[in-house]
Amino acid sequence: MGTIILSQTITGILGNFSLLSHYLYLYFTGYKFRPTDLIIKHLTVANCLAILLKGVPQTKTALGMKHFLSDIGCKLVFYVHRVSKDVSTGITCLLSVSQAITISPSKSRCAKFKAKAPKYIGSCNILCWMLNLILNVMVPVYMTGKQKDNNITENVDHGYCYSANPGKSTASLYAALVCFQNIFFVSLMLWTSSYMVFILYRHRQQVQYIHGTNVNSRSSPESRATHSILVLVSTFVSLSTLSSIFHICLTVLKNPSVWLVNTSALIAGSFPAVSPYILMSHDSRVPNLCCACTRNNKCPT
């Protein structure tokens, strides 16, 4: 299990740093950014924090290391991880909504938001971080380090930290809050994804009607970006639903097994590790830029 979590952590870190390097390359070459690129940058930062603060401690624990985090360290690690995980959820939803507005037809109800949406993307990203910093402020209260003399029977063992059992009523309330938050974001993502699939299907039907069977197999940048976000959202919904089930089990059960704790950590780190590869596989700007540089002996601005 330690080897599996370590491999996932290394893969995720390499993927997210590669994605950040990709945007850094585009910035220095003067390439024009899309409105959704800012959202993806925030998503990448959140995923980096989530996979580092969950993968590294969980790997050490699975490999037999213990008592490597102090009481303050446990509070900080769990708090920042929970914030980054929730930010990743909110920003993925924001990415789906933004792309749905971008590809909406000019006669649709969403068309009136096309010009205004890019102006508020930065504010929405910052608001998402601020709200989750406030909403998760109670997480450090229940976390303690293993170096402290704790009553183990009343605490949940996470391998490298303890979390105090808040009681049935508080645990049920917290589980309900987690469920509501995930159901809201997942429902919104499913709605926007269905809308994008409908728009792409209708557009394809119109193109086939106009050009007959001679339809260009190369899709537009907007279409590739939409496909990327659809795959990303589908992956997120699947893994988030599974992760929420495990998280609720850890919250409700008094003494969860080591297998349950490790499996929950493995599933929680799956989306941050996979998402950068999904986004890069559908982004053809770097290859196109290299081809243009080769043909013209200069990079386009």
Side-chain angles (χ1 to χ4, degrees), residues 14 41 51 115 126 128 151 203 209 213 266 272:
L14 288 175
K41 291 175 190 176
I51 199 167
I126 295 172
C128 186
N151 188 354
H203 176 70
Y209 176 76
T213 56
L266 190 65

Side-chain angles (χ1 to χ4, degrees), residues 218-231:
R218 292 185 64 186
S219 58
S220 64
E222 291 80 7
S223 179
R224 285 196 298 269
T226 305
H227 285 135
S228 172
I229 293 170
L230 286 173
V231 174

Side-chain angles (χ1 to χ4, degrees), residues 15-288:
N16 283 285
F17 275 101
S18 297
L19 186 58
L20 287 175
S21 301
H22 165 68
Y23 283 111
L24 191 65
Y25 175 80
L26 293 178
Y27 173 76
F28 281 112
T29 52
Y31 215 86
K32 186 179 179 180
F33 284 102
R34 300 168 184 163
T36 55
D37 286 340
L38 181 60
I39 304 176
I40 295 175
K41 291 175 190 176
H42 281 267
L43 177 63
T44 306
V45 172
N47 286 339
C48 283
L49 290 173
I51 199 167
L52 279 172
L53 295 174
K54 192 68 174 181
V56 174
Q58 205 69 41
T59 300
K60 287 185 175 182
T61 303
L63 294 175
M65 302 180 190
K66 295 181 180 180
H67 309 289
F68 55 87
L69 278 178
S70 63
D71 185 52
I72 297 175
C74 279
K75 294 179 184 296
L76 187 63
V77 164
F78 270 81
Y79 175 63
V80 178
H81 172 262
R82 190 66 209 175
V83 169
S84 58
K85 186 176 180 295
D86 290 346
V87 167
S88 178
T89 303
I91 288 182
T92 304
C93 183
L94 178 63
L95 184 64
S96 181
V97 173
S98 176
Q99 188 63 23
I101 294 173
T102 301
I103 68 168
S104 60
S106 57
K107 295 181 180 180
S108 66
R109 295 180 180 179
C110 297
K112 60 183 179 181
F113 299 108
K114 274 189 176 183
K116 298 179 181 179
K119 301 177 182 178
Y120 297 103
I121 284 177
S123 302
C124 290
N125 285 321
I126 295 172
L127 182 63
C128 186
W129 282 98
M130 296 301 296
L131 284 176
N132 284 290
L133 284 169
I134 296 170
L135 291 175
N136 290 287
V137 74
M138 291 300 294
V139 172
V141 176
Y142 296 101
M143 300 307 305
T144 56
K146 277 199 165 185
Q147 295 176 347
K148 248 187 171 182
D149 187 16
N150 295 306
N151 188 354
I152 298 176
T153 59
E154 296 180 358
N155 295 322
V156 178
D157 189 1
H158 294 276
Y160 52 95
C161 292
Y162 287 128
S163 62
N165 192 353
K168 287 186 177 181
S169 58
T170 307
S172 300
L173 182 63
Y174 182 72
L177 182 63
V178 171
C179 279
F180 174 77
Q181 184 178 6
N182 281 278
I183 289 172
F184 174 76
F185 283 119
V186 167
S187 300
L188 189 56
M189 280 187 272
L190 288 175
W191 181 80
T192 53
S193 298
S194 302
Y195 177 72
M196 286 189 284
V197 169
F198 171 73
I199 294 297
L200 289 177
Y201 175 76
R202 192 172 66 174
H203 176 70
R204 184 175 179 82
Q205 293 296 107
Q206 291 173 350
V207 171
Q208 286 181 344
Y209 176 76
I210 295 171
H211 298 283
T213 56
N214 297 323
V215 181
N216 191 358
S217 60
R218 292 185 64 186
S219 58
S220 64
E222 291 80 7
S223 179
R224 285 196 298 269
T226 305
H227 285 135
S228 172
I229 293 170
L230 286 173
V231 174
L232 187 73
V233 168
S234 301
T235 306
F236 175 82
V237 169
S238 304
L239 294 175
S240 178
T241 303
L242 196 59
S243 179
S244 297
I245 295 171
F246 275 87
H247 185 72
I248 291 169
C249 292
L250 289 176
T251 305
V252 175
L253 296 177
K254 289 185 178 180
N255 294 309
S257 62
V258 177
W259 177 86
L260 186 64
V261 173
N262 288 331
T263 307
S264 177
L266 190 65
I267 295 171
S270 297
F271 179 74
V274 170
S275 60
Y277 297 100
I278 295 174
L279 292 168
M280 286 188 293
S281 65
H282 291 80
D283 195 340
S284 60
R285 285 176 292 182
V286 170
N288 288 341

